[in-house]
Amino acid sequence: MVVQLAGGAGDAIVTFETAQPSRLRVIDTHTGGEPTRVVVDAELDLGGGSLEERQQRFERHFDHLRRAIVCEPRGGDVWVGAWLTPAADASSAAGVIFFNNVGYLGMCGHGTMGVAAALRYLGRAAEGEYHLDTPVGAVAVSLQSESRVLVHNVRSFRFRKNVAVALPDGRKYHGEIAWGGNWFFICHDHGLPVTAAAIPQLHRLASELRQQLKIQGMVGRGGAEIDHIELIGPPSDSAIADSRNFVLCPGGAYDRSPCGTGTSAKLACLAADGLLAEGQVWRQESIIGSVFEASFRRAADDEILPQLTGTAFVNADATLILDPADPFCMGISHEAER
Ligand code: PYC
């Protein structure tokens, strides 16, 4: 297959040959219950430049691989994929592009922990702290123990406070728009129990809120779509956590983990309101009861530098087979119908 890519330098066009892979080695992990499929040893030249540029090239030329890796029948809406690529910054260990069943993620907290677990399993994790480049900036990772991973996330901030969203039937909710590596609408006054038993109602309301944010043109900085909805409630047990969340992800699944970027966005709101001090630990519980420990350091301009700790385990070392005779080789996609 001949592919033309806009090169890293200026608008130069780079033409090169890349073979369509027929097999992809993946390491599957889960972080607090949320899966990540890490593609390793794939030979795909995405050209130079930033991770943002490489993600755009991946999307333009190789989006079928995203679907093959995370969509049904090999995956499903809960899966996040991580494509490893050479680092953009000479001081980083690698670059990573995160994606799901409908598109691409700027950063992914649980996914970064999954990548760290996969690299450790492969014996490729650097000693101590190392950096991974993502499309929204570099993150730092270090292994705390066999399965515990510490992530220093990208700068996070609250963008808007007390935003009212009215649903067509007159119900009205309020929330904060915040960035934690992805865009979130964080809502407290939803009136639902944040418990596993209420997942269908939480899912319905979060979907309605996301739809209305879109219809009403409510966006993040620079007009960015708010594609994650976070409904906050009390923890199942104050001895284990400070708060519990339900996070609706862009592809329609809810995050089984406490959501690293969502926890970072929440920390930015707590910091902005003076409700959490620098260095103080915030324990964020997920809807299935897994917990991330988080804290922050202040950065300039009302932004914070969050750090998150969670546990990630490898649960498969597998080879995906891409058989051209298979009509669903490149995944089942409902995107055209959305
Ligand atoms: O952990 O940041 C996260 C995340 C985003 C989407 C699913 N998990």
Side-chain angles (χ1 to χ4, degrees):
M1 176 169 59
V2 176
V3 175
Q4 288 199 321
L5 298 178
D11 289 322
I13 298 292
V14 181
T15 305
F16 62 92
E17 293 237 3
T18 179
Q20 174 66 48
S22 57
R23 287 171 172 258
L24 288 172
R25 183 177 179 201
V26 296
I27 308 296
D28 286 353
T29 66
H30 82 86
T31 307
E34 181 77 354
T36 307
R37 177 161 286 164
V38 187
V39 183
V40 295
D41 302 334
E43 291 192 7
L44 192 66
D45 184 354
L46 294 173
S50 68
L51 261 288
E52 190 184 5
E53 290 171 293
R54 292 188 218 174
Q55 180 193 293
Q56 287 163 2
R57 292 184 201 124
F58 191 101
E59 181 168 6
R60 207 171 316 132
H61 303 288
F62 304 107
D63 196 53
H64 54 283
L65 293 179
R66 171 187 65 78
R67 287 185 269 109
I69 294 159
V70 290
C71 290
E72 294 176 24
R74 293 185 195 85
D77 62 4
V78 74
W79 280 92
V80 166
W83 188 280
L84 297 178
T85 171
D89 189 307
S91 63
S92 295
V96 56
I97 295 169
F98 292 111
F99 46 82
N100 60 19
N101 56 323
V102 293
Y104 296 81
L105 292 162
M107 223 305 272
C108 183
H110 93 266
T112 303
M113 295 178 198
V115 167
L119 293 176
R120 182 184 56 82
Y121 166 82
L122 292 167
R124 297 184 196 166
E127 281 293 315
E129 184 177 283
Y130 59 92
H131 288 84
L132 295 173
D133 294 327
T134 80
V136 295
V139 297
V141 180
S142 56
L143 294 173
Q144 302 291 285
S145 63
E146 276 290 284
S147 56
R148 270 187 96 64
V149 185
L150 170 69
V151 176
H152 290 273
N153 194 12
V154 296
R155 282 179 183 230
S156 302
F157 59 92
R158 179 166 68 194
F159 181 59
R160 296 270 183 265
K161 186 179 179 171
N162 207 23
V163 175
V165 183
L167 300 188
D169 61 7
R171 280 176 295 155
K172 203 169 181 180
Y173 300 93
H174 300 84
E176 305 172 273
I177 297 173
W179 169 258
N182 294 299
W183 283 102
F184 289 82
F185 180 73
I186 304 176
C187 176
H188 292 254
D189 67 356
H190 48 79
L192 293 171
V194 182
T195 59
I199 286 174
Q201 296 94 305
L202 292 161
H203 196 282
R204 198 171 314 120
L205 178 61
S207 306
E208 290 176 305
L209 285 170
R210 187 166 62 198
Q211 194 183 14
Q212 282 309 309
L213 285 165
K214 197 169 179 178
I215 290 171
Q216 295 172 26
M218 292 178 187
V219 289
R221 188 179 278 171
E225 182 182 353
I226 301 163
D227 53 4
H228 291 73
I229 306 293
E230 184 166 0
L231 306 179
I232 302 279
S236 60
D237 178 349
S238 58
I240 63 154
D242 299 295
S243 145
R244 192 174 195 183
N245 66 15
F246 172 91
V247 177
L248 180 68
C249 297
Y254 63 88
D255 198 332
R256 275 63 168 167
S257 87
C259 191
T261 51
T263 299
S264 301
K266 172 71 184 153
L267 282 194
C269 297
L270 290 166
D273 287 332
L275 295 174
L276 191 71
E278 226 177 328
Q280 194 181 336
V281 174
W282 178 262
R283 298 159 305 161
Q284 185 63 58
E285 184 181 10
S286 76
I287 195 66
I288 67 157
S290 49
V291 176
F292 284 170
E293 286 182 2
S295 63
F296 71 89
R297 280 192 297 117
R298 273 193 198 283
D301 308 328
D302 293 335
E303 295 182 342
I304 61 156
L305 292 164
Q307 67 173 56
L308 312 150
T309 310
T311 48
F313 293 88
V314 169
N315 51 19
D317 178 347
T319 302
L320 305 185
I321 296 167
L322 277 58
D323 177 356
D326 174 357
F328 296 113
C329 175
M330 294 306 168
I332 303 168
S333 170
H334 305 288
E335 281 159 51
E337 299 167 34
R338 274 175 207 275

